[in-house]
Structures are given as structure tokens and as C-alpha cells.
Amino acid sequence: MSNLKARMTIDPAYRLAETDPRIYGSFIEHLGRAVYGGIYDPGHPAADEDGFRQDVIDLVKELNVPIVRYPGGNFVSGYRWEDGVGPVEQRPVQLDLAWRSLEPNRVGLNEFARWAKKANSQVMMAVNLGTRGIEEAKQIVEYCNHPGGSYWSDLRRKHGIEQPHGIRVWCLGNEMDGPWQIGRKTADEYGRLAQEAAKVMKWVDPSIELVACGSSGSKIATFPDWERIVLEHAYDEVDYLSLHTYYGNRDGDLANFLASSLDMDAFIRTVVATCDFVRAKKRSNKTIYLSFDEWNVWFHSNEADKQVEPWQVGPPLLEDVYTMEDALVVGCMLITLLKHADRVRIACLAQLVNVIAPIMTENGGPSWRQTIFYPFAHASNLARGVVLHAPVESPKYDSKDFTDVPYLEAVPVWNEAAGELVLLAVNRAEEPLALDVDLRGFPNARSKEHIVLTHPNMKAVNTKDRPDEVVPQKRSIGAVDAGRLSVELPALSWNVLRVRV
Amino acid sequence: MSNLKARMTIDPAYRLAETDPRIYGSFIEHLGRAVYGGIYDPGHPAADEDGFRQDVIDLVKELNVPIVRYPGGNFVSGYRWEDGVGPVEQRPVQLDLAWRSLEPNRVGLNEFARWAKKANSQVMMAVNLGTRGIEEAKQIVEYCNHPGGSYWSDLRRKHGIEQPHGIRVWCLGNEMDGPWQIGRKTADEYGRLAQEAAKVMKWVDPSIELVACGSSGSKIATFPDWERIVLEHAYDEVDYLSLHTYYGNRDGDLANFLASSLDMDAFIRTVVATCDFVRAKKRSNKTIYLSFDEWNVWFHSNEADKQVEPWQVGPPLLEDVYTMEDALVVGCMLITLLKHADRVRIACLAQLVNVIAPIMTENGGPSWRQTIFYPFAHASNLARGVVLHAPVESPKYDSKDFTDVPYLEAVPVWNEAAGELVLLAVNRAEEPLALDVDLRGFPNARSKEHIVLTHPNMKAVNTKDRPDEVVPQKRSIGAVDAGRLSVELPALSWNVLRVRV
Amino acid sequence: MSNLKARMTIDPAYRLAETDPRIYGSFIEHLGRAVYGGIYDPGHPAADEDGFRQDVIDLVKELNVPIVRYPGGNFVSGYRWEDGVGPVEQRPVQLDLAWRSLEPNRVGLNEFARWAKKANSQVMMAVNLGTRGIEEAKQIVEYCNHPGGSYWSDLRRKHGIEQPHGIRVWCLGNEMDGPWQIGRKTADEYGRLAQEAAKVMKWVDPSIELVACGSSGSKIATFPDWERIVLEHAYDEVDYLSLHTYYGNRDGDLANFLASSLDMDAFIRTVVATCDFVRAKKRSNKTIYLSFDEWNVWFHSNEADKQVEPWQVGPPLLEDVYTMEDALVVGCMLITLLKHADRVRIACLAQLVNVIAPIMTENGGPSWRQTIFYPFAHASNLARGVVLHAPVESPKYDSKDFTDVPYLEAVPVWNEAAGELVLLAVNRAEEPLALDVDLRGFPNARSKEHIVLTHPNMKAVNTKDRPDEVVPQKRSIGAVDAGRLSVELPALSWNVLRVRV
């Protein structure tokens, strides 16, 4: 019997927003072994005719990732995209200053677009606003999206890509506020550059959507004035503002770590407020939406990375091995994103393969699912449809950095087409939690499935040799009785409750 | 008999300024059918060995245009001039984002210089300060004006142009304040860029004159602080400040439309004041002159242009068909420019062929004169010499936007060399106006000719099929009597009074 | 017998700082006949297999110059370094706008590095921040210093330079505050650009040291706020701040001219103060050091230079012929730099050959030493080691611009390894000065040598035909007696007192 009890009310009349499928996006950067040794490994037994690992593609499909941001990240701020197109043997090897690695340019935008198609994904392309300006931004859109008959579109066709890539979402640089960025900008510098780049890019292809860089994190000193200033320049020209955040359990304080998603929630609320402040100041009736295009747990590899020799191709950088507790935090972050589905239209788990990633590979060897693979796959595959406002009554706790942390983190998503209500829920408590759900308004609700991810050891991980140490389990689930569903969420667990409606 | 009576006094002692011939300049932009299908149409029966239409050249000569601005306009802010030189078959086809047209680069600066020579005109060249910087500004001046022995000048010679073009007047970008501009700049951004570009351009060729961008119009929110800030940066380096304005009769309010030139007059006065404010602040004894390098009526084609498909070569853009009333406004604007000849040294009717232009062509077909051709041709051919201060006493009216609009708009120009005094005059009234001119100081004045442009229908136009619907007429003119000339100006008419002196 | 008497106390316990050998640096700019006709003259009888004049190299070795700044100066702000590498016959001839000369690019960075090695010198390389940005700054560091395996480093190897040049000190542009500079920047513009360029350059090679531009002189209106603002942006990224100064005896006022080094002293003090103000504001514990990378007398050639025709290769520009009094000022400046050896770590006599230089050549003819050659050679060869604080008691005078000018300017440098104490001293008086030196703490002090440079005619110069008109002389020197050395410094003389310790 649980001592902890929580209640939720779920009513289809209280619609927050339709989830945008792109909330389940991810990210492939030219960084570490994401590309070289990750998605691309031409000598691998599972490599296809393009050198892409089929086993990795299969895992990406299992994650059901509708959009993948590319090619960076910090990398893009020094990237010359034209180095990566045309005959492979003529492509230069470049020093990538972002990660102090060697970029052989064997994979470029055309190869990546091909890979994305195989992975059932769209490309979310970033342009370099670190070392480059608006002319190059125009040229890459023309190369990618213009049908033909002009210099850059005909160059694409000469490179064997007859049809335009039709890339719809474009990032105006990456984390331009960060001192680590190649060609960092002040908020005014970046706001102006983003505005002018946006104009020329949309003149080439008015159907594209543009993401301006928000702050690289809510802890940087220029947040949230960065957002205000950037939007004061570029409000009319851009469609989304980006957010990035990463959490880690550096102090070994589990309760505090599990509460990290409250910081993410506050971050989103502040950015929404800032966007709407500028909307008022501009007397605009346009709404800026959010692209949370980097989010994850990241801290395990920090020290190891300092030992990596510079100027390698595909060095083992940012290879966090994720624990069970990391999967719970990722689950809480997914729920938080969904609870803001009215404004968050794009989100990208950073990243996808090897680099702080749900999928790991060994060069020439096997691939496997990290712990965080599971909550993402569950949400991406099942939590599509309408997010419902659902009041939660839960006992709470205080931690080092947070107060009033609810033990229960949960969000219901109603997939009307599939006739299914999915409740994603994390129990942050170290004991089971009894959840009582009032399903008012779903008169035909019938419980279907309870999937649980947990482990006796919160530090448990999946590795090449023990890839199934942490895997989800099915649990028995009681019937819906008089419109109520009672279910027990195990201690420190990720839960998916599926109800036919 | 007229009820309206006006008086003028014209005295050679009251000299305002020698007119600079360049006040009768015009403008050819890579826009619509100005170049392709306008001046250049190699398949046309009248095309010469360079593909230039001889009939168009003849009409341009009839207009007597001493200088033509080129190649833009908004176009220049994305233009790569080197795309338009060298072997034609190697020139790239580019997307022009300014007008969302296709630029085939079959005409470039060398071809245009050749055309201008045939048209008895000088080139006023604009450099791209939208997407480019000072190095490219240096290179184009070196290519055009340096004799040889250096990379860029030798490239010109390699392209078959042994002698330097000797282009004297250069525009530092175009309308850099406008949100529609490729690579718009803030006033500080532009002032700094103009200053630095000016330096390198004059170091290559100290004999050149430079025009900095003023506001794109007096109604833009940044006017006239734009002018102040730009000059605070670049006062010492530039010679002229540009002004642009266009008027239209959007509400069908003729009296108000005819008064438009009062707005132009106020615009000029404000810019002069701003220039002289900065002069005082800089403790400078240098005077900045004005280049009114875009002016005309423009509104007829606005709606039609929205329907034009993008990415065509030479699409039918900005093809205003001018009415009789437009010709009156153009006449008033010409008179206004002349009344400021002490500061306005360059002016460009925008534009010359097909695009809001006095000359129209049909691709492969005939060319003809629009209504506005005539006042421009009269002024350009006859009103050369010294502008005289000439007090006008005229009855006045009020309109929607203006008060105290004189029915008579007039300016005398004394061509001493030709022994002729020319009075340009518009009667804004819907009835004839009796004008009494006191020719004190011209003891030998003898009336010579009275040319009139008017039409019973103010909406009358010239078209391919009726090219002579609106044409000037000679009217009888009385003798100068006791130093006075009495003449009747017809209702709503443009008038040229020629007096031998 | 002297009426003027001065005293000094020299004690090895009062160490100011170890002199950095680079305080004896110099400068070769692509300007006038410094390169073409100076160090490089392939048709010259003394030219070696690379076209470098061996006689000039020998004189440079005599000066013992450990580091040479290159390739500018103002020149660098328009320089495209890649024009000067690769096959000589493919290099373009460019207009150099800084000096309005023709740059044939026959000598480029690889040739200069080769020359510097022959001259026993290091290269101090400047990057172009006038017309170029951070990408090019990255590329030149990669070309020069990266071992290989990347595009730009492999290009160097393709050009025959297998081993990286290993250039340690880099200038972030040149005099970016000066209106004469190609692509001048405001302090904010430059501070931002320097910061971002510094980042990418150090990411390519973390072992390099960077010099940010301070003011081009202490008389420019933006001094010293320029220094403050630049450092507020780039404090963390740069290592040195530059200073430049030149003096001249334009009014024929010798006493005032000789006092010029007091201005240099005040300049250094102000820059140190400004650096340390920013250090405090930044809460930093990093110290910024000074690079006084242009200093000399410069005024003789100013008028002549106005007559030089533009667009020549190697025109006779800035060819000051130095007098005896100039050598005294150079001596005072050397002493001043040494007195700030705790903060001045680099200094460059501007320049080295022909252009305001200690070494003069005739194209195809002889080379010779100017008057200023001697104090520099003495200091560079002998004054190495530890600068000692040494209180001077000297009579003083007032001049037009200075008050309390000591007749004696002097600094002791203790070369512990060589067992020698060297006292550099200038007597500014028009009569001999009796100097009494208390050598406390050097119990075994024995006087060794007294070298004097003076001339009865302060306007005396060395020329091709009279190259030895002004040369140093040895003087008799008394013994150290009871720890005291008494010596007479001739009127208007440069003195080197060598004492074995």
C-alpha cells in the first residue's frame, strides 16, 4: 500500500493544444562520433550503399523522430556548407574550431538529407551566422530549396540532386550569445544579423520557417534581455525562438536532480513572457513560438572530454552513459515540454547518436539503446494528439534548489484519431505513489496498458555488453471503475498509462 | 478672360545658382523591363550590333539625359558586379531578391557603359553596400577607373576595355534605411560603412564624387535623424546626400495630387537644414550637396505588380501608364528641383525605360513617349543656365494635405550663352490663369515661343496604339511690352515660355 | 670641469624586471623600399639565392633584432596574405591603398619567414582586421602554425614549407583607431572584432600570444578611452596592448625635442593605468603587458613624401635621414622603454630598413648605418638582463612642452650571466655632465669601457658617401673607487658605461 497519494482530473473539454509532431525532434551535429562512426560508418557490416548504418536507422525509426536538427550546434558557426557538397574526393579537410576536431566533409548536406529520408525524418537546417553573413544564408536556401534555373540551384542539380530538398525549418545560427561560440554576437549584433538573414532567406523561399537563437541557457548573464533585444530587432521576420538546457546530477543529490524539469518549466514561462512583452511593444498580433532545440541530461562525460586529443576525425566526445535516474529526468522534461505544447512547437533531444544520445554505437560494432531511449520512444510513439489541461494534486517536497516539487509529474495526451488517452507520469518519490485519475468526460474509458521503466539501482546503465539492463516492463492495470482509474506508480519510475477512450 | 491672375518679377541680378546639367539625370535599374526588353533587346529589328535598341537610344537622346544612375536601386544591394563582366556565356544566372526576378547577367557594367556612351550620357554607378563591404567597393572602382597594371584594372583590359571608364559619380549603396532593402542598415551601421567605403574608393581614384544614402523618403520614421547620424559619421568623406520621393493620386483627389511638389520642396529644405546642422557641429566649411536621385509619380502599377510571377527575366514590373495629370506633377517637381539648384546638383527621374518611365517599349515592338516625357524633355533641353530668384504672386488654395498651394508653380532659367530666358510654369487651376511677368533687367526681351502641354481629359494617356494622345502644342504669345509679358496659361497645363534676352 | 653634476645609486637588490629580449624588436612593412630595394633586391651583387641582400642581413644581425613585426603597419589593413604565397608568377599585383603603392607580391609571408631566419629573428605577424574578419584570421594561423592534415596547413606544405612556421606573436590588426586606416573601427567595433578573432586564432594554436591595438598615439582624441573600451571587450582573450609614438624636431627646438621621451614615459604610464583599471573592473587576476611596437623619430621625410607619385613598386617613402640629435632622442626612448621593462615586453623600432630606419640602402648599391643605428645596437647587444631601479639626482630644465626635464636620462641593466653592469645614459645638456655612480652592492665592480656617441654638429648625418660621419668612440674611464664611479658625459651625448661586477 502506498502512503503517497495523488489525484488527477482529465477532461477532453480542457484542451491545451494539439501537439506538434516536431516536439519529438532530435539533433545530429558534426561532433564526436555522431556522424562519423554514428550514422555513417561505410566499413560497418550493417552499412548500406551510402555508408549509413542500417541498425542505427532502425533504432532512429523506433524512436520515431519527425525532424532532426543539423549540422550544429557550435559546429555550424564555423561551417562552410559548400565544403560538404560536390565530389567527395574534392572536399577539403577543415579544422573545426568548435570541437577542435578534424572535419573530413565526407558527409554534407546532401548526404544528410538522404539519411534523413531513410530515417523517415525531416531536416531542420542551421545556417552559419558565426563567421558568415546574409549572402551565404541566401545561397544555401537557394541551393536546397530553389527548383532550378539559377546558379546555386543548378549547382545542386549538378551534384545529382534534381529535386529541391524542400527544407522547411531553418535555424538562424546557434547559441550566438555564448562566449564559446565561433563569432559570438551581442544581442544587438545578433538581432540585426538574424533580421537581415531572415529577410533574404524568406525572399528565396517564402514557405520556410525560421528559428532565432534565444539564450544558450537560462543561467547565462544576458538572459532574458537577450531574448528581448533579439526580438525587438527580428520579431516580424522570425517564427520561433530557441531554448537550450541540460541538467546533471553533479552532487549526487537525486531528489534535487529529479526536480530539474521545474527549472525547464520556469525557463519556458520566462521566454513566453518575453516574447509576449515584445509583441505588446510592437503592437503586433503575431505570436512567436518556441523551439526547444537542445535538451537533455549532460554531465557524465565532462571530465573525460578534457583528455581527448584535438584534431581527430570522430573523437569520442560527449559520450554520456545514461543511468536510470537520467531516464527519469528525461521523462520529466518530456512531460514539461508537452505541458507547454501551446507554445513549444519544436523540440530536439540533443543529440541522437553517440553524442549525449539515446542511441550508442561501437565503431564497426553493435548499437544499443541507452536508458533515455525508452521514455523518448514511448512519448514519441504514443503521446500524439491533444494535450489536455489536467490539474494534479500531489504531495510535494523541497530540495536544494527547488521548493514544492510534486512527487507526481504527469501529462495526458488524447489521441482522438487512435481513440486513446495516454498519461505520461513520473513518480519522483522513493516509494510507490497511488494515483487516482478522474476520467470525467471519457464515458467509454477502458484501461489498456501500463508500461513502467524503473530499476532497483538508479545508477544502472545499458552498455554494449549489457544492453538490456534497464528496459521497460508491462504492469497489470485495474479496470476503469465509475470513471476512475486507480493505479500504483512504482518508486522512482517512468510510467505510460494507455486508456482506450 | 481669366479670373485668376498671377504676377512674377524676373531680374538677372537675382541669381540663385547655375543649374548643374546632372539635374536632368535619369536611372536604369536591373528591374522589370528596364534593361531586358527596354534598352537591350538583341532580337529587335532596331537592335544595333550590341543588342541595344536604336529607337530607345534616340528617345533617350531626345530627353537629353546627361547622367544615368545604374544598376540600382534595390537591385544593387544584392548585386555581384563581377557576375556581369567577362565572357557572357560564363556569367551566372542569379536570383535577384530585390524584385524576386532572374538576373541573367547578359548586360553588366561594361555593356551599360557602352550604351551610356551611345546615349550621350555618363554613368552614375552604385556599389553594393547591402551584402558587401569595403573591399568589393575598392575593387569595382579599380576595375572601372584605374588605368592598368593592377589585378582588377588588368581584368577590365582582359575583358576588352582598354581605357578606364572614368566613372565620376558613385552611389554608396541604395536606400539603406528601408526594411525592404537587402542588408538594410541602421543609421549608425550605414554611416560607418559609408565612411569606410568612401575612403578606400577615393584612395583608388581621388577624382570621384560620392553620394551617401539619405532617407528613402520623408515619411519613413527614421527621417531626418538618419541624415544627421549618417553625416555625423561620413561628413568629411562624402559629397552628396541622396533624396528619393514618389507621389500618386491614390484617392482621385487632383487638387491634392498637384500640390505634391510642396512636399518635395519641404523635404529638400529639411535635408539642407540637416546637412548644415552637421556642418556647424563639425566646425566644417565644406557644404554637402543633394542628389535627388529618385523622383517621379509611381502608383498606377502597384496592384498589378503583386500578380507578377517571381523568378522571370524582365518581368513587366512597375509599368505605370502616365496620365496628363501625372505630367503636371512631374512638371511641378522639375520646377521644384530647379528652385533648389543651389543645393540640388544631381537629380534622376526614376526611371528611364518601361519601369515608371517616360519611355515605353514593347518587346520586339515599337517604343513611344509617355505624357511625362514632355515636361522632362522641355526642361532638359531648354532650361539650362542660371536659375533666377523670382517672386511669384499667385492666388492659392488648400487641399487635403496642403495649405496655401499657389495655382502657379514657376521658375525662370536664364541661358546666357543662348541668349534665352526660359520660364517653366504649371497652372494647377481648373481654369486659365493670367500671368503678368515683369522682365526688369532684360531690356531687350522679346517673346519667342509658348509651348503648352494639356488635355481636356486629365486621365488621358499615350499608348502603343495612341502614342500621340497627349502631346505639346505651340500657342500664340504676345509681345513683351514695356518690360512686361502677359500670357494666359490654360487650365491644368504645363507651359514653357521662351524669351530672347 | 663640469658645472653640471648628477648622482645615481645602483643596487642589485632593487630589481625592476628581467628585460624581455623582444624589447629590441623592429619592423618591416610592405612600405616604400623596406622590402623591395631594402631586404629584397634580387639583382643586387650581394643578393643571396633568395634575392635577399646579404649586406643588409649582416647589418640586421649587428643590430641583434630578436623579433620583426610584419607585414604592416597600415599596409596590413588591406592585405590579402594569400596573394603572397604560392607560385610567384601567379601572384596578383595589387593596389596598396595604405601607401598608394603597387604591391607585386613577390615577397610574401613564406619568403619573409625565410629572411627572418637568416637574420636570426622571429616573425611577429599581423592579421588584417581592416577589410577582413575572423575566418581569414583563423586561416592564416592554420597556414602558418598547424602541422598538416588540414586544408590550409596542407596548402603551406604544397608551397614547399613542410614544417610550420611556429609564429608565436600575432598582432590583431594595426592602428585601428586611425582615420587613415583602411577599415578603421570604433573602439567598440574593434574590441568586439579583436575578441572574436582572438578566440578563433587561439583555438587553432593555443600557444600563440596576441597583441590588441591600443591607440595609434597618445594625441588622438579617443585616447585613452579606446584602450579602456577595447580591453573591456577583449581583456580575457588578448595578452598585450600596443602603443605607437613618433617624435620630431619640427620647430628646431633641440631642448624640447630631447625631452620627447618624457611624453613616451607618460604615455606608458597611462596605458598601464588603463589596463589595470579594466583588470579591477573585470575582477581579473590577469595582467596585460605592453607591446610598444612602433617607436622612433619621424618627421624629416613628411614633405618629400607628398611629392611621391602613387602606384609605384618600392617608392622612396618615409626615408628620414637621421641626425645626431635624433640618435639622442632614440637613446632616451630606449632608456624609457627599459625603465618600464616590468610591463613593456615587446617593442619594435619602426622600422628596420630604408623606411624611418637605422639601415639605409641604395637600390643596387651600398648599405650603411644611420646615426640611430648605434644606440639601438648598443642597447640590444649589451643591455640584456635585469633592469634595476636606480634613483637619479640630476639638474633639470624646462622646455616648451615639458617641465622638470632631467639633463641625465639613464638606466642600469645588470647582465648577471655575463657578470656585467651596463649603464645607458644620455646627457641632454649642451655642456658636459659629471656623473657620480654609487655602486653599492657590487663589491667587485671594475670599470671596463665607456662608449660615447656625439658630434660637434647636432645636424650631422651619415650618408652613402659619408657613412661614418657619426660613429661611436671609446673614452677613457676611471677606476671604481670605494664603490663609486665618476665619469664625465660629454655635452649632448649617448653613453654606454660597462662595469664588470
Side-chain angles (χ1 to χ4, degrees), chain A residues 89-394:
Chain A
E89 64 280 5
Q90 293 170 20
R91 298 182 189 174
V93 176
Q94 297 281 14
L95 298 188
D96 160 37
L97 301 187
W99 305 104
R100 304 194 74 223
S101 302
L102 218 50
E103 173 51 55
N105 281 307
R106 270 173 299 203
V107 172
L109 72 83
N110 290 324
E111 287 83 12
F112 187 74
R114 195 172 174 84
W115 179 87
K117 187 168 265 179
K118 291 181 176 185
N120 290 340
S121 208
Q122 300 290 320
V123 179
M124 175 176 176
M125 184 73 79
V127 300
N128 173 354
L129 295 185
T131 58
R132 314 191 98 180
I134 69 176
E135 187 162 0
E136 295 93 343
K138 173 233 177 192
Q139 291 167 349
I140 188 174
V141 177
E142 183 182 336
Y143 182 92
C144 289
N145 285 10
H146 196 70
S150 69
Y151 177 77
W152 291 100
S153 57
D154 286 347
L155 186 62
R156 182 198 68 238
R157 293 161 73 192
K158 205 177 126 198
H159 292 160
I161 317 292
E162 184 60 31
Q163 294 305 313
H165 290 304
I167 294 169
R168 289 281 80 83
V169 186
W170 294 77
C171 301
L172 296 163
N174 171 74
E175 294 187 355
M176 300 308 304
D177 60 331
W180 57 85
Q181 200 70 201
I182 302 169
R184 177 183 73 92
K185 304 286 182 284
T186 65
D188 277 303
E189 289 168 352
Y190 174 69
R192 287 286 299 119
L193 178 57
Q195 182 186 27
E196 297 305 319
K199 285 163 49 183
V200 295
M201 293 168 74
K202 287 192 169 175
W203 282 334
V204 174
D205 182 354
S207 75
I208 63 174
E209 296 187 303
L210 296 177
V211 184
C213 293
S215 294
S216 54
S218 62
K219 301 299 175 269
I220 200 164
T222 45
F223 174 80
D225 243 14
W226 171 276
E227 278 76 359
R228 174 185 65 77
I229 296 166
V230 168
L231 288 180
E232 285 182 0
H233 288 294
Y235 196 93
D236 292 342
E237 289 80 8
V238 305
D239 304 287
Y240 303 93
L241 196 64
S242 76
L243 302 85
H244 292 180
T245 203
Y246 296 97
Y247 300 110
N249 187 9
R250 289 187 172 78
D251 309 325
D253 179 342
L254 179 58
N256 196 53
F257 182 43
L258 291 175
S260 299
S261 61
L262 275 69
D263 181 77
M264 187 189 211
D265 183 80
F267 187 10
I268 294 172
R269 288 175 193 279
T270 303
V271 175
V272 167
T274 307
C275 290
D276 294 352
F277 167 81
V278 180
R279 180 175 60 190
K281 192 164 167 182
K282 293 247 170 200
R283 280 77 177 126
S284 174
N285 52 19
K286 170 184 173 181
T287 298
I288 298 289
Y289 292 94
L290 307 194
S291 173
F292 213 123
D293 45 34
E294 289 191 28
W295 68 269
N296 203 348
V297 169
W298 174 21
F299 73 109
H300 296 288
S301 58
N302 293 166
E303 289 307 310
D305 285 352
K306 295 177 187 166
Q307 310 306 321
V308 175
E309 278 296 304
W311 315 131
Q312 302 179 63
V313 176
L317 287 170
L318 279 70
E319 301 206 353
D320 275 38
V321 177
Y322 289 114
T323 61
M324 177 60 219
E325 68 188 32
D326 297 333
L328 295 181
V329 171
V330 163
C332 289
M333 293 174 88
L334 278 164
I335 293 168
T336 304
L337 290 168
L338 286 164
K339 284 159 75 178
H340 289 286
D342 54 332
R343 291 302 281 271
V344 178
R345 295 243 170 126
I346 303 174
C348 301
L349 177 69
Q351 299 188 9
L352 188 51
V353 184
N354 288 334
V355 173
I356 45 173
I359 300 168
M360 288 298 288
T361 74
E362 189 181 68
N363 289 5
S367 53
W368 62 96
R369 298 166 191 81
Q370 294 228 58
T371 60
I372 64 170
F373 185 98
Y374 296 107
F376 189 90
H378 294 153
S380 176
N381 282 285
L382 299 174
R384 308 251 181 165
V386 176
V387 176
L388 300 177
H389 285 287
V392 168
E393 292 170 63
S394 165

Side-chain angles (χ1 to χ4, degrees), chain C residues 187-201:
Chain C
D188 276 304
E189 290 168 352
Y190 175 68
R192 287 286 299 120
L193 179 56
Q195 181 186 28
E196 297 304 320
K199 283 163 50 183
V200 296
M201 293 169 75

Side-chain angles (χ1 to χ4, degrees), chain B residues 287-302:
Chain B
T287 298
I288 298 289
Y289 291 94
L290 307 193
S291 173
F292 213 125
D293 46 33
E294 290 191 29
W295 68 270
N296 204 349
V297 169
W298 175 21
F299 74 109
H300 296 287
S301 58
N302 293 167

Side-chain angles (χ1 to χ4, degrees), chain B residues 45-78:
Chain B
D48 67 12
E49 70 284 2
D50 296 315
F52 296 126
R53 285 182 65 155
Q54 187 60 50
D55 58 335
V56 172
I57 289 174
D58 292 342
L59 287 171
V60 174
K61 284 183 177 171
E62 203 178 310
L63 281 176
N64 199 1
V65 178
I67 192 164
V68 184
R69 190 163 163 251
Y70 176 87
N74 298 340
F75 173 79
V76 81
S77 295

